[in-house]
Amino acid sequence: MNKVTTLNQFIIEQQAHVPQATGGFSGLLHHVGIAAKKVNREVNKAGLVDILGRAGVENIQGEDQQKLDVYANETFIGELKASGECCAVASEENQDIIVFDEGLSRDGKYIFCMDPLDGSSNIDVNVSIGTIFSVYRRKSPLGEVAKLDDFLQKGCKQVAAGYVIYGSSTMLVYTAGNGVNGFTLDPSIGEFCLSHPDIKTPEDGTIYSINEGNYEKFPVGVKKYIKYCQETDKKTDRPYTSRYIGSLVADFHRNLLKGGIFIYPETKTHPNGKLRLLYECNPIAFIAEQAGGVASDGERRILELMPESIHQRIPFYVGSKNMMRKITEFLKFFNNI
Ligand code: AHM
Ligand code: MG
């Protein structure tokens, strides 16, 4: 029988390679796994129980909140608090950071950024959705109350990043800066099991993912790149195909495994793009780079950007190395004329 490595076993084995590790980080990830399983359970029964529909409130971005968003947010916050390793959380669903200023958590070494349920407009049509997260060491001294400044760190400072995709099967994919590993939830034993060790993304891809409904509003370099992908060239036999779910985790996950590029550029109506630097772009960029891919805002490496606020938006280009090189050439050329 094949040996199955569960997420918890894997975390403990990884910890053994870090002599100074105290187990705090492993404890935190363990609780992330528990939260993911709880959210998975609710997402799975979304069609069965009266949990679908709007919660009747808008989140701070002015978007309708779905009930599952609220559930996922509260569940992750609850587990992070219970871990005692995390002193504060920034969530897409909360205007301000959430500070744990009592008990063990106040001394927690880590801060956590998350989009608890990304792509939530897809919930009621049974399309894959996801949780995206990112872990940093706090900047403020242990024992003090964490503050906003703890969150204003470049993405290259991430200790770990990951996502959970609630799809045809549920997977947790994460990196702690030493490669990317994917775990599939085995519902029969309720454990995430290592199914995709050391994920590497293809250097060349064939998929481009972008909301072409916004075509008229795109920068000219992006328009030209899309046309380049669409053109048939008899000599080179360009192989591109378009795939767009409208759920970042699902679009990125497919491209990560198969090779491709995901683009959410600045548009005339959204000059800073739509996606958020702290809890969407940075974690995805960290995973992409760890898998051999590239992530930028069209010019600069995402992981080098210094955030100014927790809900900051940024144009996002991420994917296979050679596709990223090509689009960067297009952007550079057409921005300069
Ligand atoms: P959300 O955080 O409000 O769910 O929005 C983020 C989602 C991403 O999952 C996805 O990539 C993008 O929005 C799709 O946007 P659009 O519908 O404009 O194409
Ligand atoms: Mg989101």
Side-chain angles (χ1 to χ4, degrees):
M1 202 168 87
N2 285 344
K3 182 181 169 284
V4 172
T5 304
T6 66
L7 176 63
N8 284 336
Q9 280 169 336
F10 185 83
I11 296 168
I12 290 164
E13 280 166 25
Q14 293 294 304
Q15 187 193 318
H17 298 306
V18 186
Q20 69 276 25
T22 58
F25 176 64
S26 304
L28 183 70
L29 281 180
H30 169 68
H31 282 268
V32 168
I34 296 176
K37 284 190 250 183
K38 288 183 176 174
V39 173
N40 176 65
R41 183 190 60 206
E42 297 307 311
V43 168
N44 269 227
K45 33 181 222 210
L48 296 171
V49 294
D50 185 28
I51 197 164
L52 275 179
R54 289 170 183 168
V57 283
E58 285 194 343
N59 71 6
I60 46 106
Q61 328 275 344
E63 297 151 347
D64 287 319
Q65 259 184 342
Q66 307 274 327
K67 280 183 188 170
L68 276 172
D69 291 18
V70 179
Y71 178 82
N73 196 37
E74 287 170 1
T75 302
F76 271 90
I77 292 170
E79 286 300 330
L80 292 166
K81 193 169 184 188
S83 77
E85 305 294 344
C86 172
C87 60
V89 180
S91 164
E92 179 176 326
E93 300 299 338
N94 297 84
Q95 170 87 55
D96 300 315
I97 60 168
I98 300 140
V99 175
F100 303 142
D101 62 353
E102 50 192 44
L104 276 180
S105 305
R106 186 186 170 119
D107 288 336
K109 272 193 292 211
Y110 299 104
I111 58 153
F112 196 88
C113 305
M114 65 170 171
D115 183 348
L117 209 56
D118 182 70
S120 49
S121 61
N122 289 316
I123 294 171
D124 48 0
V125 287
N126 216 347
V127 167
S128 299
I129 46 182
T131 298
I132 315 174
F133 65 89
S134 179
V135 183
Y136 294 79
R137 272 189 198 86
R138 68 188 296 173
K139 291 200 269 179
S140 55
L142 287 187
E144 281 187 14
V145 175
K147 40 186 186 299
L148 178 64
D149 192 50
D150 284 305
F151 288 86
L152 304 182
Q153 304 191 42
K154 290 181 181 175
C156 56
K157 298 276 186 193
Q158 286 170 103
V159 174
Y163 58 80
V164 185
I165 177 166
Y166 309 100
S168 48
S169 58
T170 291
M171 274 189 79
L172 187 149
V173 175
Y174 93 97
T175 181
N178 187 20
V180 181
N181 291 284
F183 301 81
T184 302
L185 184 63
D186 179 344
S188 67
I189 56 168
E191 292 283 358
F192 283 106
C193 300
L194 183 61
S195 53
H196 296 62
D198 197 20
I199 296 173
K200 293 289 172 218
T201 195
E203 286 199 3
D204 281 305
T206 57
I207 301 168
Y208 69 98
S209 309
I210 186 166
N211 185 344
E212 288 188 57
N214 296 328
Y215 184 85
E216 284 305 320
K217 302 179 203 152
F218 289 153
V220 62
V222 173
K223 287 182 176 175
K224 296 281 185 192
Y225 179 74
I226 293 173
K227 286 290 162 212
Y228 163 84
C229 291
Q230 291 171 342
E231 271 165 23
T232 324
D233 181 329
K234 289 226 168 64
K235 273 190 228 131
T236 55
D237 194 18
R238 273 179 214 155
Y240 301 108
T241 185
S242 167
R243 293 282 183 275
Y244 189 73
I245 298 169
S247 202
L248 173 62
V249 171
D251 278 311
F252 173 76
H253 183 70
R254 179 202 52 235
N255 292 1
L256 176 74
L257 298 184
K258 295 201 162 177
I261 190 172
F262 174 91
I263 309 166
Y264 209 110
E266 63 278 34
T267 64
K268 283 181 195 142
T269 41
H270 292 91
N272 298 318
K274 175 181 184 189
L275 301 177
R276 290 73 162 192
L277 176 59
L278 244 69
Y279 42 78
E280 292 175 326
C281 305
N282 268 337
I284 295 290
F286 190 22
I287 294 165
E289 286 196 5
Q290 284 291 316
V294 176
S296 81
D297 69 350
E299 279 174 47
R300 301 164 299 170
R301 182 181 172 223
I302 290 289
L303 298 183
E304 287 297 336
L305 302 177
M306 187 55 149
E308 288 161 12
S309 64
I310 57 170
H311 298 294
Q312 183 178 343
R313 295 175 195 263
I314 199 86
F316 194 39
Y317 300 74
V318 62
S320 296
K321 216 181 234 171
N322 292 339
M323 292 184 88
M324 282 294 292
R325 192 174 55 230
K326 195 73 185 170
I327 194 165
T328 308
E329 283 168 17
F330 271 82
L331 294 173
K332 211 170 179 176
F333 181 79
F334 287 101
N335 286 346
N336 288 337
I337 55 172

